[in-house]
């Protein structure tokens, strides 16, 4: 069976950092917290640098600046009602797993944010992987009720991994 997370490394610093095992652990914790089986799903995570994420942020969001994480869900799964739980995706099969979408993360921005916050980069990146995965699963933070649901879900997933609340 295909791995749950297909990790693409465009910046070698992510390889040395250990993005692949960290992402796999974070995604599996998110799935466990949400009661989703990991079989039958796949997603792609690209580890890049600020130059690449700047290009992507400009192309897809019209923003001319780098960011920490971007996500592109394969399907619209958001709840219609504000604060409602998104629709759970249907798994594919072993030969054709359901793609949840793509995530890109910038090493430069993640490292700078972690240093500024005085927290281990691994903790910060774990939070951002969880955040990106929740976006793929239909969670968002534009409306207040949706933001509350997404943040409380992130906090529960991170607690499952032994990490503290990033919003406190």
């Amino acid at each position: 069976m295909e791995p749950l997370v297909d990790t693409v490394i465009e910046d070698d610093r992510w390889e040395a950092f250990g993005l692949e095992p960290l992402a796999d652990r974070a995604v599996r914790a998110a799935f466990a917290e949400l009661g989703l089986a990991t079989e039958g799903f796949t997603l792609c995570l690209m580890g890049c640098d600020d130059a690449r994420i700047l290009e992507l942020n400009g192309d897809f969001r019209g923003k001319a600046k780098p960011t920490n994480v971007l996500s592109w869900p394969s399907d619209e799964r958001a709840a219609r009602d504000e604060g409602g739980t998104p629709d759970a995706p249907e798994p594919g099969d072993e030969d054709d797993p359901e793609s949840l979408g793509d995530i890109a993360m910038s090493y430069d921005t993640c490292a700078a944010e972690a240093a500024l916050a005085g927290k281990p980069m691994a903790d910060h990146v774990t939070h951002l992987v969880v955040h990106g995965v929740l976006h793929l699963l239909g969670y968002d933070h534009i409306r207040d009720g949706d933001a509350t649901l997404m943040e409380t879900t992130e906090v529960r997933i991170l607690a499952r991994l032994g990490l503290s609340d990033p919003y406190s």
Side-chain angles (χ1 to χ4, degrees):
M1 178 172 246
E2 288 289 312
L4 178 59
V5 182
D6 178 20
T7 307
V8 177
I9 303 292
E10 283 196 0
D11 183 317
D12 291 340
R13 293 174 294 176
W14 282 119
E15 189 72 47
F17 172 78
L19 180 61
E20 189 168 1
L22 181 147
D24 186 69
R25 184 171 174 256
V27 172
R28 289 179 187 283
F31 274 55
E33 181 63 36
L34 298 172
L36 292 172
T38 55
E39 294 79 24
F41 295 106
T42 187
L43 62 97
C44 183
L45 172 64
M46 178 178 66
C48 61
D49 61 13
D50 268 0
R52 179 74 166 120
I53 213 152
L54 168 68
E55 179 184 322
L56 293 168
N57 207 19
D59 289 350
F60 292 97
R61 297 177 65 221
K63 297 190 177 194
K65 63 179 186 174
T67 189
N68 50 19
V69 63
L70 293 171
S71 57
W72 297 270
S74 62
D75 203 359
E76 177 57 48
R77 298 180 179 91
R80 181 164 285 167
D81 297 327
E82 183 175 340
T85 303
D87 296 331
E90 290 294 322
D93 59 38
E94 188 174 332
D95 297 325
D96 188 23
E98 173 68 20
S99 173
L100 297 175
D102 303 313
I103 300 170
M105 297 185 71
S106 169
Y107 188 93
D108 304 297
T109 298
C110 290
E113 289 174 347
L116 187 64
K119 64 171 71 171
M121 185 163 159
D123 293 2
H124 186 53
V125 171
T126 299
H127 174 217
L128 293 175
V129 169
V130 167
H131 186 85
V133 168
L134 289 178
H135 275 307
L136 297 185
L137 293 171
Y139 290 78
D140 209 337
H141 44 80
I142 295 174
R143 302 180 299 187
D144 289 343
D146 296 335
T148 298
L149 175 64
M150 185 170 186
E151 289 175 12
T152 57
T153 304
E154 287 174 5
V155 169
R156 284 196 326 269
I157 294 165
L158 294 172
R160 183 181 278 267
L161 292 165
L163 301 179
S164 60
D165 179 349
Y167 298 107
S168 64

